[in-house]
């Protein structure tokens, strides 16, 4: 009887898609109810290893932004002080040309703990293609107040995945990246699913002085206004992929609705950007990405997206427990 959903849609018209909540590191299992590519509700799905049959209010209600009019729907290129809509080919070629002008030590990559394992793996490949040094790569940490039931203090859903794939200590390099950008040592910034101003604490004046800023994001934001190339990406309900929750369980997202406009899945954006930079190719599906990741990252060896199933599989041991289940 949630007032957020009541009388908005007949339940029997909904398409129910198995997924999990990406609001924090708990990863509560969910069903996404949608019709005609609009999400109408998000409800808990039984998994006695993660959330029993419960979820927090925030996780239940925090989906309306997926349907928002503030979604990025087209790639843009900054011309002078204005942005113009561009084709994907033009936007990626423009980004690749700018990235090729920078020395590896001048490039920084700020990724996100909201990215899937597959996207983080392709970020790692992009960094290798550009020869970006490790101290210039990081994700943005997020924290909040936990409760004694389900809500986790880590508000990133895939911090453990980022540790396994991209960086050993998320957030450790950010201050140095900001300082080197301010001093001019770093001239080029790639921001993946992060608003550098609001989320990562980058001063607007430092970004304004950068030779090139590339941003991929779901929503229109102030960071996109400063970007020379901005790329629209997919929300959690619009993609397949995997994440590792706080207890070390590998879980799978499934597609519930399609991306709006010309927005694209993040793994495709990263693959095509790496292709434009280096010519590397050979990945034709998200399953191919997971297969390549499993061959390179020992923790994922022997697994595939299909083997994860709807309730996930234990991946890495942690000391975490779920208060509600205890």
């Amino acid at each position: 009887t949630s007032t957020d959903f009541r009388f908005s849609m007949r339940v029997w018209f909904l398409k129910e898609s198995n997924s999990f909540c990406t609001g924090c590191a708990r990863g509560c299992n969910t069903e996404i109810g949608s019709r005609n590519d609009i999400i109408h509700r998000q409800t808990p799905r039984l998994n006695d290893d993660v959330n029993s049959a419960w979820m927090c209010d925030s996780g239940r209600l925090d989906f309306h932004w997926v349907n928002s009019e503030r979604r990025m729907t087209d790639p843009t290129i900054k011309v002078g002080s204005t942005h113009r809509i561009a084709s994907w080919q033009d936007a990626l070629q423009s980004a690749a040309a700018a990235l090729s002008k920078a020395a590896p030590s001048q490039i920084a990559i700020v990724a996100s703990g909201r990215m899937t394992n597959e996207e983080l793996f392709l970020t790692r490949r992009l960094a290798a293609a550009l020869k970006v040094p490790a101290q210039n790569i990081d994700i943005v940490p997020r924290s909040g107040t936990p409760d004694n039931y389900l809500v986790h203090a880590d508000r990133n859903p895939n911090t453990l995945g980022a540790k396994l794939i991209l960086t050993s200590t998320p957030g450790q390099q950010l201050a140095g990246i900001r300082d080197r950008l301010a001093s001019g040592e770093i001239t080029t910034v790639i921001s993946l699913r992060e608003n550098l101003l609001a989320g990562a604490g980058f001063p607007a004046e430092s970004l304004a002085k950068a030779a090139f800023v590339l941003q991929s994001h779901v929503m229109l934001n102030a960071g996109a206004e400063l970007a020379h190339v901005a790329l629209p990406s997919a929300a959690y309900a619009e993609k397949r992929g995997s994440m590792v929750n706080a207890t070390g369980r590998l879980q799978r997202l499934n597609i519930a609705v399609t991306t709006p406009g010309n927005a694209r899945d993040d793994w495709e954006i990263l693959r095509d950007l790496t292709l434009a930079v280096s010519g590397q190719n050979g990945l034709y599906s998200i399953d191919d990405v997971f297969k390549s990741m499993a061959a390179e990252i020992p923790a994922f060896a022997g697994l595939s997206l299909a083997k994860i199933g709807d309730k996930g599989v234990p991946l890495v041991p942690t000391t975490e427990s779920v208060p509600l289940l205890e």
Side-chain angles (χ1 to χ4, degrees):
T1 59
S2 164
T3 56
D4 185 69
F5 172 72
R6 190 167 51 202
F7 308 128
S8 69
M9 178 56 61
R10 303 288 189 186
V11 172
W12 50 87
F13 288 154
L14 294 178
K15 178 186 75 172
E16 301 285 1
S17 304
N18 289 341
S19 189
F20 61 87
C21 177
T22 59
C24 78
R26 188 68 62 206
C28 293
N29 285 208
T30 63
E31 282 187 347
I32 298 173
S34 65
R35 189 184 186 202
N36 296 331
D37 285 331
I38 295 175
I39 299 175
H40 290 277
R41 71 173 180 178
Q42 192 162 266
T43 54
R45 176 168 56 90
L46 179 65
N47 189 332
D48 287 331
D49 292 310
V50 181
N51 59 298
S52 185
W54 302 90
M55 68 187 301
C56 73
D57 292 345
S58 176
R60 187 186 291 267
L61 300 175
D62 187 24
F63 64 83
H64 293 286
W65 58 271
V66 178
N67 307 327
S68 170
E69 294 181 355
R70 290 191 55 77
R71 288 289 303 272
M72 287 184 64
T73 57
D74 291 283
T76 62
I77 296 175
K78 194 171 186 178
V79 180
S81 59
T82 61
H83 290 78
R84 66 170 179 85
I85 293 175
S87 68
W88 273 102
Q89 183 178 6
D90 288 346
L92 290 169
Q93 287 180 350
S94 177
L99 292 172
S100 66
K101 295 177 182 177
S105 62
Q106 295 176 318
I107 302 173
I109 298 178
V110 179
S112 177
R114 294 171 172 174
M115 296 170 72
T116 66
N117 296 316
E118 295 78 10
E119 294 157 10
L120 290 166
F121 176 70
L122 290 177
T123 301
R124 173 172 155 157
R125 282 204 166 178
L126 175 63
L130 293 168
K131 298 182 173 60
V132 180
Q135 67 267 25
N136 285 4
I137 306 170
D138 208 349
I139 72 165
V140 178
R142 284 182 176 80
S143 62
T145 304
D147 66 8
N148 293 320
Y149 303 100
L150 286 171
V151 178
H152 199 278
D154 185 355
R155 294 299 201 260
N156 276 333
N158 200 25
T159 297
L160 277 183
K163 287 182 177 180
L164 290 170
I165 298 165
L166 202 60
T167 177
S168 57
T169 309
Q172 190 175 35
Q173 307 295 344
L174 275 181
I177 292 172
R178 286 193 293 262
D179 290 344
R180 290 192 292 279
L181 178 64
S183 69
E185 294 177 60
I186 291 175
T187 63
T188 302
V189 181
I190 300 171
S191 172
L192 303 172
R193 295 187 71 87
E194 289 291 352
N195 178 349
L196 292 177
L197 295 174
F202 281 70
E205 55 269 23
S206 295
L207 290 171
K209 291 190 298 183
F212 180 71
V213 177
L214 168 67
Q215 177 178 288
S216 70
H217 209 284
V218 179
M219 307 296 292
L220 293 168
N221 56 60
E225 289 296 318
L226 290 171
H228 297 87
V229 174
L231 305 175
S233 58
Y236 71 96
E238 299 162 354
K239 64 173 71 178
R240 288 181 74 217
S242 64
M243 295 184 182
V244 187
N245 75 358
T247 60
R249 192 172 192 85
L250 180 66
Q251 302 194 107
R252 185 180 68 195
L253 294 171
N254 294 303
I255 297 173
V257 293
T258 59
T259 53
N262 290 316
R264 291 176 60 182
D265 203 328
D266 298 72
W267 81 266
E268 295 179 308
I269 296 172
L270 287 161
R271 176 202 59 186
D272 291 348
L273 183 58
T274 305
L275 173 63
V277 167
S278 67
Q280 298 174 10
N281 201 351
L283 299 172
Y284 301 100
S285 70
I286 192 67
D287 298 276
D288 288 340
V289 180
F290 194 102
K291 183 177 179 181
S292 296
M293 179 176 67
E296 289 188 31
I297 311 295
F300 299 95
L303 291 170
S304 67
L305 276 176
K307 289 180 180 178
I308 295 173
D310 285 332
K311 294 196 173 183
V313 294
L315 185 72
V316 292
T318 72
T319 59
E320 289 273 354
S321 61
V322 185
L324 176 72
L325 301 185
E326 295 294 309

